[in-house]
Amino acid sequence: MSNTEPTTDHPGALALAVDLGGTKVEAALVSDQGVVLPGSRFRSPTGPQRTSEELQAAVDEVVTDALGALPADATLAGVGIGSAGPVDEEHGLVSPLNMPVWRGYPLRDRIAAHVPDGTPVTLRMDGLAITLAEHWLGAAQGSDHVMGMIVSTGVGGGLILHGRTVSGPTGNAGHIGHVECGGYDDPCACGGTGCLEAVASGPKTVAWAQRQGFAGTTGEELSAAYAAGDEIAVAAVKRSGRALGQAIASATSLVDLEVVAIGGGFSHVTPDLFEYARQAVAERREFGFVTKVRIVPTGLSQDGPLIGAAALVHRAHVLR
């Protein structure tokens, strides 16, 4: 692979990156320097209301459009797929919690059908992909014990330990959104109670605020209300931030993390969300190996999930 950043004249080795999430699927061509090729990025909506056929049509559309942007003199190095979980890494299957019509769905093979035989196609949970991106080009550069997190429609995560990814026997290691947080009794779609996702995701935080009397319906409205000092909005963000910190402290106790890098739409509700999380971690004051963990915003743009999917190709040597 080229060690120089490709240009549109000499694009070099490109990865087809696919990111499947709870509200959208995106695909793009990404260079071995983590740069999204201009004009190659395409998006289509997903969500729990769509049929299996509609979801597959959305995937087919963005994959076909992105491949159509492949320059004639470029090399397709491989395909990287980051998907909302759970996943079955070995068999390339996905069962996204927020897409109930897909259970054990063969996403890897369906996307592989779009590319020439022999093209490497790698599927991992989206949280692991974003962790790879942060380790490669983002806020976790230089650290080898990392958790990347997405706080958005859901809450996902992934792990790099000793400089290598850790995905476990099924591919779902690091799924911190379904770690239960003490002191919370919110029911979770996974069947658990008090899961981080059920407490701290964007929609669940807004829903809790609404139960306290908040009139807004979106994370953006909650953010504006927080900035204006609305008491319910402040309480809602504090509650979610504390749950994040509790889960991160527990994860750090378990695997001795150095950095947790957090992205996703709801992570931008206010910078104070990170402060509330840090305060919860700081309560473990007798455990310096826990309180040392740095909780930081993503170092990447909104391209982070696609860069992470591309890293499954361009940074394959880091995969365990």
Side-chain angles (χ1 to χ4, degrees):
M1 295 181 188
S2 170
N3 290 322
T4 59
E5 181 174 323
T7 67
T8 53
D9 292 329
H10 301 284
L14 298 172
L16 172 65
V18 182
D19 174 54
L20 175 69
T23 59
K24 68 183 186 305
V25 59
E26 288 190 295
L29 299 170
V30 182
S31 79
D32 56 5
Q33 301 296 302
V35 177
V36 175
L37 189 72
S40 75
R41 181 175 183 167
F42 297 89
R43 173 187 298 186
S44 188
T46 57
Q49 75 283 1
R50 293 190 171 260
T51 66
S52 178
E53 292 75 17
E54 288 171 334
L55 289 172
Q56 184 58 55
V59 171
D60 290 340
E61 177 186 351
V62 299
V63 167
T64 300
D65 288 347
L67 286 172
L70 184 69
D73 57 344
T75 300
L76 182 63
V79 182
I81 308 164
S83 174
V87 301
D88 179 337
E89 182 180 296
E90 179 181 358
H91 300 104
L93 311 178
V94 303
S95 304
L97 188 61
N98 294 321
M99 300 176 211
V101 295
W102 274 7
R103 291 293 176 265
Y105 190 78
L107 182 64
R108 184 185 63 197
D109 289 349
R110 292 299 300 264
I111 291 177
H114 288 273
V115 297
D117 289 346
T119 303
V121 181
T122 303
L123 180 143
R124 294 289 189 273
M125 194 165 60
D126 56 356
L128 185 64
I130 198 68
T131 305
L132 268 172
E134 296 292 345
H135 182 255
W136 180 21
L137 297 170
Q141 291 180 79
S143 296
D144 281 341
H145 297 80
V146 176
M147 174 173 281
M149 289 182 64
I150 302 164
V151 181
S152 187
T153 306
V155 177
L159 291 169
I160 288 178
L161 301 177
H162 298 286
R164 302 288 297 276
T165 62
V166 177
S167 57
T170 65
N172 295 288
H175 208 336
I176 194 171
H178 297 280
V179 168
E180 294 188 3
C181 302
Y184 300 89
D185 59 5
D186 308 55
C188 184
C190 77
T193 301
C195 291
L196 179 61
E197 180 170 296
V199 178
S201 70
K204 296 301 184 182
T205 303
V206 171
W208 183 87
Q210 288 174 326
R211 293 195 294 272
Q212 316 311 310
F214 177 61
T217 59
T218 67
E220 291 80 6
E221 290 171 328
L222 188 72
S223 176
Y226 182 93
D230 180 88
E231 290 184 3
I232 294 175
V234 170
V237 172
K238 282 184 176 180
R239 182 177 190 267
S240 293
R242 177 168 184 80
L244 282 167
Q246 288 180 221
I248 289 168
S250 295
T252 303
S253 293
L254 187 66
V255 295
D256 203 4
L257 297 168
E258 296 173 295
V259 181
V260 176
I262 304 177
F266 193 68
S267 71
H268 303 296
V269 65
T270 169
D272 292 348
L273 182 73
F274 290 79
E275 285 305 314
Y276 298 135
R278 292 174 186 129
Q279 289 169 14
V281 171
E283 293 175 8
R284 307 288 184 99
R285 54 188 172 273
E286 294 299 323
F287 276 0
F289 80 95
V290 173
T291 58
K292 77 175 185 320
V293 69
R294 295 188 295 114
I295 303 174
V296 297
T298 175
L300 302 168
S301 68
Q302 61 181 352
D303 295 338
L306 289 171
I307 294 171
L312 296 171
V313 177
H314 294 312
R315 302 281 289 173
H317 63 281
V318 178
L319 302 181
R320 187 180 297 277

